Amino acid sequence: MTATPTIHELETRDQHISQVKVFTDRAEIRRFVKVALKSGVNEVVLKNLTNNLTHGSMRVEGRGKATIHDVVVKNVSSLPQESDSPKMAALRATLQEEKARLQTIDDRGTVVQKSIENLDKVFGAVGGGLVNPPKEGGVSLNEGTLTSLKNFFDFYGNNSESYREKLRVIEKEHREQQEKVRKVEQELNLIQVKFHNNVVTQAATITLECTEETEAELDVIYQVQNAGWSPSYDVRVDTEKPSMNITYFGKIRQHTGEDWTGAQLVLSTAQPCLGGKIPELGTLEATFRVRHYPSPPQVMHMQTRSASLFGAASAPQPQCMTLGPPMEKMNVAVASEVTQNTLSTEFKILREATIPHGTNDHKVTVGIVTLSPKLVHEAVPSKNAAAFLTASAINTSELAFLAGDSSVYLNNAFVAKSHLKNVSPGERFTCSLGVDTAIRVEYKPAKKYHEEGGYITKHSANVTEQTIAIKNTRSEQPVLLTIKHHVPRSTDEKIRVKLVAPAAVPYDAEKATNESENAEPSEGAKFNSSNNLEWTVKLAPNSSQDLIVKYVVEHPKDETVQYHERF
């Protein structure tokens, strides 16, 4: 005969969260459970688990003289009040108290209203007796009667006014108390909508066995959906030094249906959603494609105007009234520990945090990095006829920057919202600082002409000549400007592309090294890995120059070449 197990029912939300590891698309919760076990079989039941629990993710680790046999998670029926969070339970209690106060005010108002009605009845009865006296007996109006009437009228006037003033005060209290009740009801309804209260919740049953009574400590670990974190950055560039200060933030969102109270936070760059299965490779078959001759697409050129962001940078700072000696600048708490794993990086946040359900933007500081940038100008005139100041730097820190939004400040003035790409330690990256209106870029209309040649095999040659006029209006210093421009890349051996001007260094993937990729921009023309031309020139103060990009595309006469921009 199997012995009846000892049941230990515990509320999940009452068990302390020792750690929350937040991934980019979910979170892993570690709760500490302490329980006094009886000799024999024990079942520890954790009630009201979140419905956002990831199926199959729960595991249990323990310490003590007991054996863990199994862990079972199942759906159970419950009343809405049983699955209330602590905040919801507190709001329900507050709502009952506010409704009780409202009822007390109602009762006071009823008593005062009855007093006014009764006083009016007495006054009406006395007045009616004077105007319409009974037939059998009259009313004798003597000095004593008149004195009594005067005293009665004074009593009625004073008390009627007092009662009505009390009623007005009570009515005001009633309106204010009704508003308090309404606000608590709205807050409770809002939280109920967020938590999606159900009559079905999840419960975990942990079966343990021990030979004697003992204290056991359990670490219950499970993953939840509807949580995650994303990076964001404050990039501050000082052009005088120059220096680049990057503050690395982690923005946490939490809609898991449970509150994280006093938890140690760890942000992980691991992405469990990608899975660990290697994709299979099918057979690549080569077949003839049916040719289509679509009409050439119409391209619309749109001029984009970019406002200068340097005027804001040089604007005078507002004067602040000084009330005493300057105070020390506050330090910023950053991640206390950075752990590099095989496939990910983990950032342990310095202090415990409380993040309730429904949080969209809980920001913590991962780290602060100071770099020495190279300030250069870049332009893509075919897209935008403006010169952008960019800060080029090598990530000399141990932090890997994940792709995320960034706010860019130039000389303590906000200039732009940007996006930072993935940057590994030791890798060079660039950050746009806005448009420099002192550098003028003019993208002139391209000259295009067609040639035909060949004696046996006729071929066509399309020649494109593009002039880009650049000018440095500054009178103090030279400027290093990099022009980026398309040069078509052939995808067919019958299409031959030749760059006539300028003389450019071709891109060689075999010779490309990390050192060359991290090298600072230098004068000259070269092709990058995307087969785009990067032409860097040095513009002296108050000087201008015309850059000519010329290339020839040769192809069979009976073929039409189309150009598609692919990223």
Side-chain angles (χ1 to χ4, degrees):
M1 182 176 180
T2 305
T4 304
T6 304
I7 307 297
H8 308 268
E9 289 193 345
L10 304 174
E11 281 290 338
T12 300
R13 59 175 171 260
D14 294 336
Q15 312 310 307
H16 175 66
I17 298 179
S18 55
Q19 186 188 81
V20 176
K21 184 178 292 187
V22 187
F23 302 98
T24 55
D25 67 325
R26 68 191 69 190
E28 183 180 83
I29 313 298
R30 180 184 288 263
R31 288 187 183 269
F32 176 77
V33 179
K34 190 172 183 179
V35 61
L37 301 178
K38 302 294 184 181
S39 177
V41 178
N42 294 260
E43 290 186 354
V44 179
V45 181
L46 294 177
K47 302 189 300 181
N48 295 317
L49 283 163
T50 173
N51 288 323
N52 286 293
L53 177 71
T54 303
H55 177 71
S57 67
M58 179 170 286
R59 70 180 193 275
V60 178
E61 300 172 357
R63 294 170 295 279
K65 297 180 180 180
T67 302
I68 301 173
H69 282 284
D70 51 42
V71 180
V72 179
V73 179
K74 59 182 179 181
N75 294 330
V76 294
S77 300
S78 67
L79 296 174
Q81 291 80 359
E82 294 177 343
S83 59
D84 277 352
S85 69
K87 186 172 183 179
M88 291 175 64
L91 280 175
R92 289 190 194 277
T94 301
L95 182 61
Q96 294 301 321
E97 293 174 1
E98 298 296 344
K99 285 185 174 180
R101 293 191 184 97
L102 183 64
Q103 186 60 49
T104 300
I105 295 173
D106 275 337
D107 295 341
R108 286 169 49 205
T110 300
V111 171
V112 173
Q113 184 64 42
K114 289 292 184 183
S115 299
I116 293 174
E117 291 175 357
N118 292 329
L119 188 62
D120 288 344
K121 285 182 180 179
V122 172
F123 182 80
V126 172
L130 291 173
V131 177
N132 299 307
K135 293 180 180 180
E136 297 180 356
V139 178
S140 175
L141 293 177
N142 52 36
E143 186 177 349
T145 305
L146 291 175
T147 300
S148 298
L149 284 175
K150 181 179 181 301
N151 291 336
F152 173 73
F153 290 149
D154 291 340
F155 169 80
Y156 172 80
N158 293 333
N159 283 274
S160 178
E161 182 180 349
S162 175
Y163 282 139
R164 282 172 167 77
E165 179 63 27
K166 286 182 180 180
L167 187 60
R168 285 191 291 270
V169 172
I170 291 173
E171 287 175 346
K172 180 181 178 182
E173 291 179 4
H174 188 271
R175 289 193 298 270
E176 292 175 349
Q177 189 61 29
Q178 275 186 324
E179 184 65 19
K180 290 181 180 179
V181 171
R182 185 185 65 82
K183 287 183 177 179
V184 176
E185 286 178 337
Q186 285 182 340
E187 188 174 359
L188 182 60
N189 291 335
L190 181 62
I191 294 180
Q192 285 177 330
V193 170
K194 286 183 177 180
F195 274 87
H196 303 292
N197 274 17
N198 275 322
V199 294
V200 176
T201 61
Q202 296 192 81
T205 302
I206 306 166
T207 304
L208 306 116
E209 187 175 10
C210 54
T211 57
E212 59 184 20
E213 293 186 4
T214 184
E215 293 279 343
E217 295 178 350
L218 304 176
D219 287 323
V220 181
I221 307 161
Y222 56 92
Q223 291 185 5
V224 289
Q225 302 293 331
N226 294 328
W229 76 281
S230 58
S232 67
Y233 306 88
D234 271 2
V235 181
R236 297 181 180 271
V237 177
D238 186 345
T239 58
E240 296 295 330
K241 295 182 180 179
S243 67
M244 175 187 288
N245 192 282
I246 300 177
T247 306
Y248 191 165
F249 296 110
K251 294 193 298 183
I252 302 170
R253 66 182 189 280
Q254 207 273 74
H255 295 269
T256 63
E258 59 183 9
D259 294 333
W260 300 343
T261 305
Q264 177 67 61
L265 287 178
V266 176
L267 306 185
S268 174
T269 62
Q271 295 179 303
C273 61
L274 298 180
K277 183 180 178 182
I278 300 176
E280 296 182 1
L281 195 63
T283 303
L284 184 64
E285 297 179 347
T287 60
F288 284 108
R289 182 178 61 186
V290 178
R291 292 188 178 182
H292 297 279
Y293 298 93
S295 58
Q298 295 182 352
V299 180
M300 295 181 65
H301 296 279
M302 182 172 61
Q303 180 72 22
T304 303
R305 292 187 177 180
S306 301
S308 172
L309 299 175
F310 291 90
S314 60
Q317 299 296 321
Q319 298 296 321
C320 299
M321 184 171 59
T322 304
L323 300 179
M327 301 178 68
E328 292 185 8
K329 186 177 180 179
M330 288 186 180
N331 294 323
V332 179
V334 300
S336 60
E337 185 179 324
V338 179
T339 304
Q340 299 285 350
N341 298 322
T342 304
L343 299 177
S344 64
T345 303
E346 293 182 355
F347 309 109
K348 184 178 180 181
I349 305 305
L350 185 64
R351 64 186 296 273
E352 294 180 347
T354 296
I355 306 179
H357 165 82
T359 300
N360 287 316
D361 190 1
H362 182 99
K363 184 180 286 188
V364 295
T365 305
V366 173
I368 299 176
V369 178
T370 301
L371 306 175
S372 298
K374 177 75 172 180
L375 300 179
V376 298
H377 288 77
E378 293 183 351
V380 186
S382 62
K383 302 282 188 179
N384 189 339
F388 291 81
L389 179 64
T390 62
S392 175
I394 296 177
N395 181 12
T396 56
S397 71
E398 296 181 355
L399 297 178
F401 300 150
L402 300 181
D405 295 330
S406 61
S407 299
V408 182
Y409 297 82
L410 182 65
N411 298 331
N412 291 324
F414 176 77
V415 293
K417 295 289 288 185
S418 185
H419 186 81
L420 196 64
K421 297 182 179 180
N422 288 318
V423 182
S424 301
E427 183 180 1
R428 178 174 290 277
F429 68 99
T430 59
C431 177
S432 176
L433 305 179
V435 175
D436 186 353
T437 55
I439 309 301
R440 310 286 175 80
V441 179
E442 183 183 358
Y443 194 64
K444 297 184 177 181
K447 298 178 182 179
K448 298 183 179 182
Y449 50 91
H450 179 76
E451 296 178 350
E452 291 186 1
Y455 294 100
I456 301 175
T457 304
K458 296 294 184 180
H459 68 269
S460 295
N462 296 322
V463 182
T464 302
E465 183 177 319
Q466 179 69 60
T467 301
I468 304 167
I470 56 177
K471 183 177 182 179
N472 180 12
T473 62
R474 283 198 175 90
S475 58
E476 305 87 9
Q477 56 186 4
V479 169
L480 203 63
L481 175 61
T482 298
I483 298 292
K484 297 182 178 181
H485 197 274
H486 272 145
V487 174
R489 177 170 58 186
S490 173
T491 58
D492 192 298
E493 62 179 7
K494 296 179 181 179
I495 302 175
R496 294 182 298 275
V497 180
K498 180 183 178 182
L499 179 65
V500 178
V505 178
Y507 178 78
D508 190 339
E510 295 182 359
K511 294 182 179 180
T513 63
N514 187 54
E515 293 183 1
S516 63
E517 290 176 357
N518 288 335
E520 294 182 355
S522 57
E523 290 184 77
K526 64 178 182 178
F527 282 97
N528 60 19
S529 58
S530 300
N531 200 68
N532 290 326
L533 180 67
E534 294 184 356
W535 192 354
T536 302
V537 295
K538 193 171 187 178
L539 272 176
N542 289 323
S543 66
S544 59
Q545 189 174 346
D546 285 346
L547 303 182
I548 298 177
V549 179
K550 183 177 181 180
Y551 58 85
V552 180
V553 179
E554 295 182 352
H555 58 87
K557 182 180 178 181
D558 57 346
E559 298 285 354
T560 301
V561 177
Q562 296 182 359
Y563 302 100
H564 301 280
E565 185 177 10
R566 302 188 187 278
F567 294 91

